[in-house]
Amino acid sequence: DAKTTQPTSMDCAEGRAANLPCNHSTISGNEYVYWYRQIHSQGPQYIIHGLKNNETNEMASLIITEDRKSSTLILPHATLRDTAVYYCIVRATNYGGSQGNLIFGKGTKLSVKP
Amino acid sequence: GAVVSQHPSWVICKSGTSVKIECRSLDFQATTMFWYRQFPKQSLMLMATSNEGSKATYEQGVEKDKFLINHASLTLSTLTVTSAHPEDSSFYICSAREVLVSNQPQHFGDGTRLSIL
C-alpha cells in the first residue's frame, strides 16, 4: 500500500473549518483514501473514504485532487470534541483473506482551541 | 452503523497471568479481524490478522505462542496474552471488516488497556 505524509500537528479555532492535508503521491489506481481519527484512549473512529470523487458525510468532507496524489479532510465547524489524532491511510481494494489491513502512520494531532 | 465491541475495557493483573480479550462484531459478519497494539504516544501497530476458521497470520516480531488468537465464528475473535509480563502492558485494539465487501472501512473496538504488575 502507498505511504502517506501528514503534518505532525495543527491548531484550529473552535467553530472554524479544520483542513487536514495528506500527501499520497505514490498512490495506485486501485487504492482508496481512508481517514480515521483517534481520540485519546479510544479506538480509531472511521470518518470517510474515497477513490476519485470528493465525498461528504455527516462528519466531514474529503477532497481528492484530480491526480489523486493528495487529499484534504475538512471538518466544516470544528468543536473541542474534534481534538484528536487524524490518520490518512491508503489501501488497495483487491485484497482478500488476510490482506487489506490498515497501516497507521503517525497522523496529525489536531488541537481545537476555544 | 457497524459496531465492534471489545471486552474488557481494562484489566490489571499479576505477572505470569494469562489474559483473554474478546472482540465482537455486533451487527455484521466479519471474515477477518485485526489485532493492534499501541504503546503510549505511538501509533497503532498491527500484531496479527485473524481469519474465521483458520490460523491467524502474525506480523514479524510478534510471538504466536505468546499472543494466541482464535476466530471461531464470524462475529467473535479472541486474543489471549499468555504468561503476561510488565513489558506486555499496552493498549490492545481490535478491528473487523464486513464479509465480502471490499472497499468498506474497518471498524474498531474501543480497546483494552492491559496493565501487568
Side-chain angles (χ1 to χ4, degrees), chain A residues 46-62:
Chain A
Y46 165 75
I47 301 173
I48 200 167
H49 73 286
L51 182 63
K52 295 180 182 178
N53 300 320
N54 298 337
E55 302 288 343
T56 295
N57 62 21
E58 64 278 4
M59 289 183 68
S61 294
L62 174 60

Side-chain angles (χ1 to χ4, degrees), chain B residues 20-78:
Chain B
K20 180 184 282 189
I21 303 170
E22 290 187 350
C23 179
R24 295 181 184 272
S25 55
L26 296 187
D27 52 359
F28 66 99
Q29 292 186 324
T31 306
T32 305
M33 292 185 174
F34 304 93
W35 288 96
Y36 294 80
R37 180 167 54 182
Q38 185 175 33
F39 291 107
K41 298 186 178 181
Q42 294 186 23
S43 190
L44 284 76
M45 294 297 295
L46 181 69
M47 298 175 66
T49 302
S50 166
N51 296 297
E52 187 265 337
S54 64
K55 291 183 178 180
T57 302
Y58 291 82
E59 295 300 300
Q60 192 172 10
V62 177
E63 300 175 56
K64 63 177 70 176
D65 293 332
K66 181 161 189 66
F67 299 100
L68 301 179
I69 292 173
N70 183 278
H71 193 158
S73 77
L74 286 172
T75 59
L76 173 64
S77 176
T78 60

Side-chain angles (χ1 to χ4, degrees), chain A residues 81-107:
Chain A
R81 288 178 295 179
D82 292 321
T83 293
V85 178
Y86 287 76
Y87 297 98
C88 167
I89 304 168
V90 294
R91 187 184 74 186
T93 58
N94 56 339
Y95 57 79
S98 62
Q99 299 172 37
N101 64 79
L102 296 173
I103 306 297
F104 285 80
K106 296 185 178 180

Side-chain angles (χ1 to χ4, degrees), chain B residues 8-19 21 38-40 81 84-92 112-117:
Chain B
S9 299
W10 57 270
V11 59
I12 303 172
C13 59
K14 294 181 179 180
S15 185
T17 307
S18 291
V19 179
I21 303 170
Q38 185 175 33
F39 291 107
V81 184
H85 292 286
E87 59 266 28
D88 299 321
S89 297
S90 188
F91 191 47
Y92 292 86
T112 297
R113 191 160 301 282
L114 176 62
S115 296
I116 309 298
L117 305 177

Side-chain angles (χ1 to χ4, degrees), chain B residues 92-116:
Chain B
Y92 292 86
I93 309 168
C94 73
S95 73
R97 191 176 70 224
E98 193 166 357
V99 173
L100 301 178
V101 185
S102 64
N103 68 337
Q104 286 300 303
Q106 286 175 225
H107 296 279
F108 288 79
D110 278 337
T112 297
R113 191 160 301 282
L114 176 62
S115 296
I116 309 298

Side-chain angles (χ1 to χ4, degrees), chain A residues 34-74:
Chain A
Y34 291 82
W35 282 85
Y36 284 79
R37 72 180 182 184
Q38 187 177 25
I39 296 170
H40 184 62
S41 295
Q42 296 181 23
Q45 178 188 22
Y46 165 75
I47 301 173
I48 200 167
H49 73 286
L51 182 63
K52 295 180 182 178
N53 300 320
N54 298 337
E55 302 288 343
T56 295
N57 62 21
E58 64 278 4
M59 289 183 68
S61 294
L62 174 60
I63 308 299
I64 302 174
T65 57
E66 193 169 339
D67 63 7
R68 303 212 320 125
K69 293 182 184 299
S70 65
S71 61
T72 301
L73 178 74
I74 301 172

